[in-house]
Amino acid sequence: MDVRRVFLLISMLALVSADEAPWPALVAGHVPVSAGEHPRLFLRKGDLPALKARAATPEGQAIITRLRQLLDGKDGTGMPPVMRSGKPPHGDKSEPIVQPIGCLSFSHPAGYGMLWQLTGEQKYADLGKQCAKLMLDGYRDRDGKARYSLRQPSGALRAGPSLGWFALGYDLCYDGWDAEFRKQVASAIERYDEGKGMTLEDQVKGASHFPASNHWGMQVGGGALALLAITGDPEITDQKRLEGLLVASRAAMLRNITEGFGDGGYFAEGDGTGSMASHIIFLSALQAWQVSQGLDFISPRPNARWTALKWIFQTIPRADKLDDLRSCFPERGGYPHNIWARPDGVSGAGYFAIGYTAVTSEERAALWWFYRTHLMAHDQAAGAPWDTTSLYPHHAILAFINTPFGIEPKNPAEVLPRVEHDTKHGFFAFRNRWQDENDIVITQLTRKSRARFAHGPDRQMQVWHHGKREQWGSIPGKVDSVHVARDGSAIISGQGISLAIDFSLACGADGLLVTTAKETGESFTLGSTTLTVRILGEGGAKPVVEGDALILGKQRITVVDGRLRLGAWSE
């Protein structure tokens, strides 16, 4: 075990109490990276035989064909046909310019680097070098407003991904570049400085913002990826400084998923901004921490995992809306256009290619099922197989490395809890099943977010069921108790209100809502308590009061000390 790893472990263990498992956890059997060893961020040398074998399969070939297309618009053997110089217009206030497939991007060096790793053909390392030179010279990214760029990016949030994905190119092309150019690129990363908030140290620490800002995850994620790419290399001039930044980066990873996000994956600024804070580069940085440093931020706590799982938990796909899955998701907060924005830029793409490594192995099988069930055929028909709809090469790289072709898909109902509860932000989501367009998803944000995109609390629950969208009932703002069943049913009480969500099918319908609060609908009196009922779907039994209970088919509802009880209940 090298000095850097010992230093990291000491700092890690100092932050957890005796009764808590370490977070991050150690990856069993991890072999420390040697000085000058590359690749190291998403794969190691020992992974190459299996990846080369994958490249020979129909699935692997399909992704590599897509990667080649993304690089030069054709077969990936030439330079990108379109490159944006550093000359204006660029920046947030400029008019967007749509770029063709193959336009130079910040992950082009990485794309050619992946081909170099798989084929061993020097021409690909050389193409990666040419693209890296262009980026060093100030050529800008394919982004419509050219905001991303290694040189003079549009603020610290754009510097993070620009630097981080550029560093992946260094990692993948390292052995194919001459020593002088390797040193030039490593120095550019180590001494990165494009102004206030845009030094390597600023990026690693998120100096310009704070975790509740979507800007922060992009900075600390990009800073981490860059830092992990160069640490320990012989080209580096100040190893001690980088060792200190590793400790700072580890802390920043945890801050983003505990202060910006909560334990249910909800983000302070909302869903679209949360997609930026997790998927543009942050979750990939967590993967790189695991591969290069042997530290697992994913398994010990649910926080990071739910940033990936929330998309398949809350989305009810419709066959006619696969190009607009945002409309199938109950969005909240800022920048909703980023939600499920798979072909458009980097903010809402790669939910699977990235997400597969942001969850446990069991949860990965659920993501795999959702993708295969709803999107596989759609993407193949579009010529963008296996979640490669994005026009950025790094998404194809991640799809190639991460897609779990060898595992058995599992319906999320077999794997995931049916309730998503973010205790930090007061967000609740309930789902009855993953079956078809008639699934039920009920959500409510019960607290006000005071982030830059302030939103909430929701006045009522959003109830999406059987192709309908309604608002009905409310979860108390201050909850005293949450009792959850295996099938997603729940009883939630607080502030003198008790609410029951019943997915047991005992009432004869797919769903049943009951509340002691005053609500529109059919009401019944049990003693001194009035209950209001809402049946979700067809076939519900007629409610009948029998003594101290309200009976709906095989479901028996009572009230004890002001709180609802359901007779049919799956513990």
Side-chain angles (χ1 to χ4, degrees):
M1 187 177 295
D2 63 11
V3 175
R4 290 181 294 108
R5 190 157 167 78
V6 171
F7 186 49
L8 280 169
L9 294 178
I10 291 172
S11 65
M12 176 188 74
L13 294 173
L15 293 177
V16 298
S17 63
D19 60 347
E20 291 180 315
W23 190 23
L26 295 178
V27 175
H30 180 265
V31 178
V33 171
S34 302
E37 178 192 341
H38 291 274
R40 63 169 69 164
L41 294 177
F42 301 131
L43 67 145
R44 304 282 292 274
K45 287 286 188 187
D47 299 317
L48 281 173
L51 289 174
K52 289 178 180 180
R54 169 170 285 198
T57 66
E59 296 84 358
Q61 288 176 1
I63 298 177
I64 295 303
T65 297
R66 174 64 170 172
L67 172 60
R68 290 177 177 276
Q69 182 187 38
L70 296 175
L71 291 172
D72 67 358
K74 297 180 295 184
D75 60 4
T77 59
M79 284 291 285
V82 178
M83 308 169 196
R84 302 189 70 171
S85 74
K87 297 179 181 179
H90 54 74
D92 283 305
K93 295 183 180 180
S94 66
E95 288 296 319
I97 302 173
V98 177
Q99 300 297 331
I101 191 169
C103 179
L104 179 69
S105 74
F106 53 53
S107 55
H108 261 67
Y112 289 114
M114 192 70 218
L115 295 180
W116 153 247
Q117 291 293 334
L118 292 174
T119 68
E121 295 182 31
Q122 184 61 41
K123 66 182 179 182
Y124 294 116
D126 293 342
L127 288 166
K129 179 179 178 179
Q130 292 180 60
C131 289
K133 280 184 173 180
L134 290 172
M135 295 178 68
L136 289 168
D137 289 342
Y139 278 78
R140 306 186 76 82
D141 177 75
R142 66 165 294 116
D143 169 60
K145 297 187 176 184
R147 296 163 294 184
Y148 295 93
S149 176
L150 191 66
R151 303 301 185 202
Q152 297 184 325
S154 297
L157 80 161
R158 306 274 164 33
S162 301
L163 177 63
W165 292 119
F166 174 75
L168 177 60
Y170 166 84
D171 178 51
L172 292 173
C173 291
Y174 185 91
D175 290 338
W177 288 348
D178 58 88
E180 182 179 352
F181 190 65
R182 285 202 303 259
K183 186 172 183 179
Q184 180 185 351
V185 174
S187 177
I189 297 172
E190 180 185 8
R191 301 175 185 177
Y192 186 70
D193 187 351
E194 292 297 314
K196 184 178 180 182
M198 293 185 286
T199 67
L200 176 62
E201 184 167 356
D202 287 341
Q203 291 288 295
V204 167
K205 296 180 178 179
S208 291
H209 292 84
F210 44 88
S213 166
N214 66 84
H215 294 210
W216 211 74
M218 296 166 67
Q219 292 172 57
V220 301
L225 210 59
L227 177 65
L228 294 170
I230 63 172
T231 296
D233 280 352
E235 292 83 5
I236 300 306
T237 60
D238 190 351
Q239 296 288 358
K240 186 175 181 180
R241 169 179 172 250
L242 297 193
E243 288 171 1
L245 288 181
L246 280 174
V247 176
S249 177
R250 187 199 61 76
M253 299 295 99
L254 291 177
R255 287 192 65 195
N256 194 42
I257 48 179
T258 56
E259 296 179 36
F261 293 94
D263 54 359
Y266 198 84
F267 186 63
E269 292 182 336
D271 296 311
T273 40
S275 186
M276 296 172 66
S278 58
H279 280 73
I280 290 182
I281 199 166
F282 177 77
L283 289 179
S284 297
L286 295 187
Q287 181 180 357
W289 264 99
Q290 187 164 338
V291 173
S292 68
Q293 296 295 316
L295 294 180
D296 174 11
F297 291 84
I298 304 299
S299 300
R301 306 283 190 279
N303 300 51
R305 305 203 308 267
W306 273 105
T307 69
L309 294 171
K310 64 184 286 184
W311 308 108
I312 71 165
F313 190 98
Q314 296 180 49
T315 302
I316 305 177
R318 289 180 44 176
D320 61 340
K321 293 291 185 180
L322 297 183
D323 286 319
D324 181 29
L325 284 174
R326 171 189 166 188
S327 66
C328 304
F329 183 93
E331 62 192 42
R332 291 173 174 81
Y335 297 161
H337 58 276
N338 289 331
I339 297 169
W340 281 112
R342 303 177 73 225
D344 302 324
V346 290
S347 298
Y351 284 175
F352 300 93
I354 293 167
Y356 290 134
T357 60
V359 296
T360 65
S361 58
E362 283 284 299
E363 293 162 348
R364 187 172 305 123
L367 283 175
W368 186 221
W369 180 94
F370 192 99
Y371 180 80
R372 289 174 62 92
T373 300
H374 297 294
L375 294 169
M376 179 179 71
H378 171 271
D379 286 0
Q380 289 175 342
W386 311 113
D387 198 30
T388 60
T389 58
S390 162
L391 298 183
Y392 279 83
H394 67 278
H395 286 126
I397 294 171
L398 294 170
F400 178 75
I401 295 171
N402 296 339
T403 303
F405 292 114
I407 71 170
E408 188 70 24
K410 291 185 179 180
N411 187 301
E414 301 176 39
V415 176
L416 302 184
R418 309 289 183 91
V419 179
E420 175 189 357
H421 180 199
D422 193 300
T423 59
K424 178 178 178 62
H425 296 291
F427 176 75
F428 289 86
F430 308 85
R431 184 162 188 147
N432 69 328
R433 66 191 186 197
W434 283 262
Q435 179 174 302
D436 53 31
E437 297 176 0
N438 293 322
D439 293 352
I440 302 172
V441 172
I442 300 171
T443 63
Q444 187 172 357
L445 181 64
T446 63
R447 298 179 197 157
K448 180 176 178 59
S449 168
R450 302 188 182 279
R452 180 165 65 108
F453 294 97
H455 60 286
D458 298 338
R459 186 179 64 85
Q460 290 182 298
M461 297 187 299
Q462 289 192 36
V463 183
W464 290 32
H465 72 103
H466 303 89
K468 303 175 184 177
R469 302 181 186 182
E470 303 175 340
Q471 292 185 328
W472 194 93
S474 183
I475 298 170
K478 293 182 179 179
V479 173
D480 296 331
S481 66
V482 179
H483 192 195
V484 177
R486 273 195 321 274
D487 59 14
S489 300
I491 300 174
I492 308 169
S493 302
Q495 296 181 298
I497 297 172
S498 190
L499 169 76
I501 297 170
D502 180 18
F503 293 148
S504 70
L505 306 179
C507 74
D510 288 337
L512 171 67
L513 303 177
V514 185
T515 182
T516 62
K518 189 174 182 180
E519 186 54 79
T520 58
E522 196 171 7
S523 297
F524 304 87
T525 300
L526 298 181
S528 61
T529 304
T530 298
L531 308 184
T532 306
V533 173
R534 175 78 173 91
I535 295 174
L536 305 179
E538 301 297 327
K542 180 177 177 59
V544 177
V545 176
E546 294 184 2
D548 64 348
L550 179 64
I551 308 298
L552 289 89
K554 297 180 180 179
Q555 184 60 275
R556 186 174 187 272
I557 304 166
T558 57
V559 180
V560 178
D561 297 329
R563 297 183 179 182
L564 293 166
R565 287 190 180 179
L566 299 178
W569 185 264
S570 59
E571 291 293 350

